[in-house]
Amino acid sequence: MSHKFCVAPMIDVTNRHCRFFFRKFSKHSRLYTEMIVADAITYGDKDFLLDFDSIEHPVALQLAGSDPTALASAAVLGEEYGYDEINLNIGCPSKRVQAGNFGACLMADPHLVARCVEKIQEKVKIPVTIKCRIGIDEYNPDEMLPEFVETLIQAGVSTFIIHARKAMLDGLDPKQNREIPPLDYDIVRMIKRRWPYLNIILNGGLLNPYSAKNEISASKGVELDGAMIGRAVLENPYSIIDVDKLFYDDGRAMPSRFKIAEEMISYLEICVQKGVPINIITQNMLGLFHGCRGAKLWRSYLSHQAPRRRDDPKVLSEAINQVLEIQNEAA
Ligand SMILES: Cc1cc2nc3c(=O)[nH]c(=O)nc-3n(C[C@H](O)[C@H](O)[C@H](O)COP(=O)(O)O)c2cc1C
């Protein structure tokens, strides 16, 4: 199970269409679903929540919850649908999530998390991993994180994705909780140093695959096992085009931005036939031309046209032509 490079779970972003699109840039990166509450899977529309395209592998299902039985039932369904990993969200700070007693607040109750993991592991064969923070609120991360990790090791967890900042559960909203508490990569390294056999993945504030690779390298004191990036991939998806070469020694030729955009046309056509509005797909493609001539036009064309012409995949080819035109003019 390789986590050398992962694209972070992001609610309202990393749905199956977004993951399909991200897969075009890297064959090997590990992709994550949005956080899904366990009961939503058990009682809700399973195909809508869990179905995915086989090209998305390796892909992990991220669950939220704190009831061991409910989580285990959802995990069983995840395994049946073909997910490669069950990841437990112990990092979300939102008020709604706290009210349900899941997400980051569970860092204060590692024994409950351990019971959840044990119950899931009893029911599924795929690996169960944890995504957590370095601590919460007034707790000292130097104490909280090792205690949390140690308890979870005893429950059988060997992969921890650590968002290297505290979550402040009172007073900061989720967005502020991704920006205000300072990053502390060293504490993540401390965990790896103490338990070298664990699979430790660094997350938080990494700007691109090159700086991520540098940050997890041995030159920083200890070598971490992987990096996870969220916002920077959304802003500039093409930035992960070198991931396969950089992290997985796969140096095959990679497609251009235009090639990827063109490949998405047939995907849009298929989705429209299934009743999926095109803007659900194009909303996560807005960053494709980030940093290139025509980026602004691409972004504004798609954001204006796609919500208005929700069943018309031609919007995408028109946007491609507009960018091509503007780039040809400049050449
Ligand atoms: C829009 C958005 C939605 C997010 N949703 C989730 C989520 O569903 N589950 C989760 O574990 N983290 C979620 N996160 C946090 C990210 O997974 C990640 O830990 C955080 O953004 C830090 O990484 P970054 O600095 O590379 O973005 C979300 C972040 C963003 C920006």
Side-chain angles (χ1 to χ4, degrees):
M1 180 175 56
S2 167
H3 287 80
K4 287 181 187 162
F5 187 87
C6 312
V7 180
M10 287 180 277
I11 216 148
D12 295 332
V13 176
T14 53
N15 56 40
R16 58 178 298 183
H17 310 298
C18 178
R19 298 190 306 264
F20 184 94
F21 174 59
F22 285 166
R23 182 56 78 214
K24 301 270 171 202
F25 305 85
S26 158
K27 204 162 78 178
H28 304 290
S29 302
R30 188 163 278 257
L31 305 178
Y32 285 75
T33 66
E34 311 165 79
M35 170 185 85
I36 310 180
V37 176
D39 279 348
I41 293 177
T42 306
Y43 302 110
D45 182 342
K46 295 169 188 50
D47 281 350
F48 176 74
L49 292 168
L50 295 179
D51 236 357
F52 65 91
D53 190 288
S54 61
I55 79 155
E56 292 172 46
H57 288 294
V59 58
L61 170 64
Q62 189 187 61
L63 294 179
S66 58
D67 177 63
T69 308
L71 281 165
S73 307
V76 166
L77 287 162
E79 185 172 56
E80 281 171 15
Y81 272 77
Y83 285 91
D84 300 297
E85 167 189 337
I86 301 295
N87 176 261
L88 208 48
N89 181 323
I90 314 291
C92 181
S94 86
K95 283 271 179 281
R96 198 169 55 86
V97 160
Q98 279 181 64
N101 192 33
F102 39 84
C105 64
L106 291 175
M107 284 204 77
D109 195 350
H111 292 285
L112 174 57
V113 181
R115 285 201 299 283
C116 292
V117 168
E118 283 162 356
K119 191 78 187 174
I120 299 171
Q121 282 171 337
E122 236 176 77
K123 302 283 178 189
V124 301
K125 292 192 186 62
I126 50 177
V128 182
T129 65
I130 295 282
K131 180 167 180 279
C132 63
R133 299 280 185 137
I134 59 173
I136 53 169
D137 296 338
E138 72 285 358
Y139 290 93
N140 178 355
D142 288 327
E143 290 162 14
M144 183 175 231
L145 186 60
E147 270 176 42
F148 178 81
V149 167
E150 188 156 34
T151 309
L152 271 299
I153 292 173
Q154 280 158 20
V157 177
S158 59
T159 297
F160 292 85
I161 300 161
I162 306 178
H163 181 178
R165 49 163 64 93
K166 266 185 166 186
M168 305 308 288
L169 301 180
D170 210 11
L172 296 185
D173 65 24
K175 185 165 186 289
Q176 292 169 318
N177 260 309
R178 292 191 287 268
E179 282 155 11
I180 294 175
L183 287 162
D184 184 352
Y185 295 155
D186 281 339
I187 193 168
V188 180
R189 295 189 183 104
M190 182 267 279
I191 296 293
K192 179 69 185 178
R193 220 175 275 120
R194 183 148 161 200
W195 291 284
Y197 56 87
L198 291 180
N199 195 26
I200 300 291
I201 319 305
L202 180 68
N203 169 242
L206 299 168
L207 296 178
N208 58 57
Y210 286 93
S211 57
K213 174 97 179 173
N214 181 41
E215 209 55 68
I216 64 170
S217 80
S219 68
K220 297 278 181 175
V222 63
E223 186 163 348
L224 299 175
D225 302 280
M228 171 181 271
I229 306 189
R231 287 164 294 180
V233 176
L234 181 61
E235 182 181 73
N236 181 11
Y238 205 74
S239 66
I240 60 169
I241 199 76
D242 292 334
V243 158
D244 289 356
K245 187 174 62 187
L246 201 58
F247 286 83
Y248 297 92
D249 258 341
D250 178 351
R252 74 192 188 286
M254 294 307 293
S256 68
R257 290 178 170 84
F258 282 110
K259 175 97 174 66
I260 291 174
E262 276 156 14
E263 283 178 10
M264 288 300 290
I265 297 174
S266 52
Y267 183 72
L268 253 68
E269 285 166 354
I270 293 166
C271 288
V272 162
Q273 277 166 19
K274 293 180 181 158
V276 179
I278 61 161
N279 55 314
I280 300 289
I281 306 162
T282 56
Q283 71 193 2
N284 295 315
M285 296 174 59
L286 299 180
L288 179 61
F289 287 92
H290 178 91
C292 301
R293 203 175 177 88
K296 211 168 146 196
L297 185 60
W298 167 263
R299 186 174 268 282
S300 73
Y301 196 85
L302 286 181
S303 13
H304 282 102
Q305 294 295 322
R308 287 173 180 75
R309 294 160 59 196
R310 293 153 62 105
D311 56 358
D312 186 357
K314 283 202 292 298
V315 170
L316 186 54
S317 36
E318 290 163 13
I320 296 171
N321 287 337
Q322 300 241 356
V323 180
L324 259 178
E325 224 168 87
I326 210 169
Q327 292 199 351
N328 286 341
E329 269 168 29

